[in-house]
Amino acid sequence: MPVDIADARTVPADPLSTERLAHRGLDYRVISGDDVADFLRAEHRGFIDAEPTDEVVADELAAQGERRIIAVYDREAVQPLPVATECSWGTSLTVPGGEMPMWAISGVTVAATHRRRGIARNMLEGELRAAAGAGFAIAGLTVTEATIYGRYGFAPATAVARVTIDTARAGWGPHEPSARVLFVDRDQLADDLDALHERTRGDRIGDIAGWPRRWREIARVVPGATEPRRIRGVRAVDSAGELVGSLAFEIVDGPSRDRHTFRVNHLIAATPDARAALWRFAISYDLIDTVEASLQPVDDPIGWQVHDRRGVEQRVRDHGWLRILDVPAALAARSMSGAFGVRLAVTDPLGLADGAWTVAQLGADGVRVEPLDEGERTDITLDVGALSAAYLGGVPLEALQAAGRVTGDGAKIRALSDALRAPTAPHLSIVY
Ligand SMILES: CC(C)(COP(=O)(O)OP(=O)(O)OC[C@H]1O[C@@H](n2cnc3c(N)ncnc32)[C@H](O)[C@@H]1OP(=O)(O)O)[C@@H](O)C(=O)NCCC(=O)NCCS
């Protein structure tokens, strides 16, 4: 069921961050129109990219869609570029049992000339206050560095695996998938990825809505793309000829002409059979000795589908970070399993999500979340980051308890952990 998502562009810049940055001679603003071109140039600089051409900037400008763009200007700057950038938009997050609106944050950069003066802190705290004020119960981002965002209450809630396959050792196993694999050109590849993502993201807990330029970047049909002609695309079709899978890949030169690397840039499938067909295609490709694929689900069955699972290495790392802004709304937005009842206290240094509630599910009526009276005893205490990590069911509360992030009654912690558990490993399939 599609969810109603507020347009983030209507949300004004947070007054507290505006005031704090103004004291330092900095203007913190929501911008639009022509100013966004300089924002994009500053964002490229912040991410250590080369200076973009006007053509690249124009293409990116046209793709901003419903993004709310925040820029910070130094009144004494020589160039018109902002000294810090950041953008956000309302999207849909797949949760157990459905979808919910999420405030997505991206493009966080601070110019090297202005670093470590609290600009990022003010931008992030300002975002969270703005999102909470606009009624969003959760915010999310993907991170370049894993040590920055925990201090604002974000925590990794979905993990991904980087899969490396030694094709000669692994070898495709006895199961023969029935989907057929066909080459497509790069424009078609972008369309296939887009269509399949939108069709299947509701099945992937932790995934969010895509946008057309994300797929055009992966297919490298955007201006300024690096070595666009290296990208190849195939689709998987079922016996009725229906699109059921798509794979963007490139062949990277190896030490000799018969030892290349097959790099998966994106792999998506609507059925397990299509997924198997695309993996088999990659593993069986002639003149390839290694297949590499990042951002894969941590519970991918590939290890079971090859002859020798020792030929498949899966390296797991954090990927999707979440930050709960409204505990009762977030808990009510997802389904939980079994009957349980706990008294929960959540701490939040930013004061957005703290409080104490009874969280219970007794019959078929779903989860009930009610505030506790002041002074009432609680069973479980945890910080907002710990609850955000556990929210999608990919991180057991027991692990956070072992790390000192969750305290309280062991049986109640297990009961809530069981209730939160997801039927499949959460998987965010894109970077944003
Ligand atoms: C990361 C970046 C945005 C930080 O901006 P900044 O304005 O220097 O950050 P702040 O001064 O507000 O610092 C905020 C806090 O984060 C910490 N921090 C900042 N950058 C950090 C980094 N790279 N690694 C670890 N901690 C970092 C600071 O020590 C500070 O901690 P404290 O408030 O608890 O003392 C900036 O360095 C940057 O643009 N880097 C390149 C682009 C990038 O990596 N962006 C992040 C995309 S996910």
Side-chain angles (χ1 to χ4, degrees):
M1 255 267 277
V3 284
D4 269 348
I5 297 168
D7 185 341
R9 291 170 302 178
T10 62
V11 181
D14 172 63
L16 187 55
S17 290
T18 307
E19 187 194 318
R20 285 180 175 160
L21 289 170
H23 279 305
R24 300 171 200 182
L26 300 167
D27 291 332
Y28 168 84
R29 290 206 300 266
V30 176
I31 60 162
S32 58
D34 290 346
D35 290 345
V36 180
D38 282 335
F39 166 96
L40 294 166
R41 293 190 181 95
E43 190 186 3
H44 277 279
R45 185 179 63 189
F47 282 118
I48 335 249
D49 295 340
E51 194 172 337
T53 62
D54 289 346
E55 191 194 7
V56 169
V57 171
D59 192 68
E60 290 181 353
L61 203 51
Q64 290 307 304
E66 293 195 348
R67 285 177 190 223
R68 170 181 182 266
I69 316 273
I70 289 261
V72 178
Y73 295 93
D74 182 340
R75 293 169 204 154
E76 294 177 358
V78 179
Q79 286 185 321
L81 272 59
V83 296
T85 65
E86 181 250 323
C87 68
S88 43
W89 66 100
T91 187
S92 174
L93 171 71
T94 304
V95 295
E99 292 180 28
M100 69 183 287
M102 186 189 91
W103 184 270
I105 300 173
S106 183
V108 178
T109 75
V110 174
T113 47
H114 288 66
R115 65 198 281 279
R116 310 301 182 265
R117 298 185 200 174
I119 298 179
R121 175 174 280 281
N122 274 294
M123 290 200 298
L124 264 306
E125 291 183 359
E127 276 303 295
L128 295 176
R129 283 189 292 267
F136 283 79
I138 201 158
L141 42 74
T142 57
V143 312
T144 312
E145 300 214 38
T147 49
I148 299 177
Y149 295 99
R151 55 173 61 71
Y152 311 117
F154 285 92
T158 65
V160 283
R162 180 179 175 76
V163 180
T164 307
I165 303 174
D166 172 342
T167 56
R169 181 166 184 181
W172 189 255
H175 173 69
E176 286 296 313
S178 63
R180 285 176 305 129
V181 176
L182 305 166
F183 274 102
V184 293
D185 66 31
R186 287 184 289 121
D187 286 310
Q188 184 64 56
L189 172 64
D191 289 348
D192 286 357
L193 292 170
D194 190 351
L196 276 166
H197 183 83
E198 288 312 305
R199 183 154 36 110
T200 61
R201 69 180 165 80
D203 302 330
R204 286 186 296 277
I205 294 166
D207 220 343
I208 65 164
W211 58 97
R213 196 169 196 280
R214 173 50 81 235
W215 310 115
R216 291 198 290 115
E217 283 168 340
I218 289 171
R220 295 201 200 148
V221 287
V222 289
T226 313
E227 296 198 279
R229 288 171 181 278
R230 289 204 85 94
I231 289 289
R232 306 273 179 194
V234 290
R235 55 159 50 177
V237 294
D238 65 13
S239 55
E242 282 294 319
L243 175 68
V244 284
S246 177
L247 168 62
F249 68 99
E250 66 186 299
I251 306 291
V252 181
D253 291 342
S256 65
R257 280 196 63 77
D258 58 350
R259 294 184 55 201
H260 294 296
T261 293
F262 184 115
R263 184 174 297 153
V264 173
N265 289 355
H266 201 80
L267 187 161
I268 183 165
T271 62
D273 181 73
R275 196 168 181 85
L278 293 170
W279 272 130
R280 183 183 60 170
F281 171 77
I283 291 175
S284 317
Y285 210 95
D286 286 335
L287 310 179
I288 296 293
D289 68 356
T290 306
V291 175
E292 285 174 1
S294 48
L295 299 183
Q296 295 308 304
V298 295
D299 57 356
D300 193 290
I302 183 67
W304 298 97
Q305 292 169 315
V306 293
H307 272 303
D308 181 352
R309 61 163 55 240
R310 292 275 171 101
V312 178
E313 269 181 27
Q314 283 163 297
R315 237 181 33 227
V316 174
R317 73 160 173 77
D318 64 279
H319 180 45
W321 289 56
L322 293 180
R323 204 289 185 198
I324 289 177
L325 300 164
D326 179 334
V327 174
L331 292 177
R334 55 154 292 179
S335 60
M336 300 210 202
S337 10
F340 70 95
V342 299
R343 285 171 297 198
L344 187 71
V346 177
T347 59
D348 179 356
L350 285 187
L352 295 169
D354 43 1
W357 299 270
T358 301
V359 185
Q361 177 162 270
L362 301 171
D365 296 343
V367 184
R368 273 191 311 109
V369 187
E370 279 158 15
L372 281 182
D373 292 332
E374 196 147 326
E376 217 178 321
R377 196 172 57 82
T378 53
D379 306 314
I380 305 176
T381 300
L382 76 181
D383 65 273
V384 67
L387 185 60
S388 302
Y391 176 64
L392 293 176
V395 179
L397 283 179
E398 293 89 334
L400 296 159
Q401 180 188 17
R405 301 275 300 261
V406 179
T407 55
D409 179 325
K412 293 288 186 183
I413 292 171
R414 268 197 307 283
L416 183 58
S417 193
D418 288 348
L420 288 169
R421 188 161 300 138
T424 53
H427 181 221
L428 169 65
S429 66
I430 54 176
V431 176
Y432 64 91

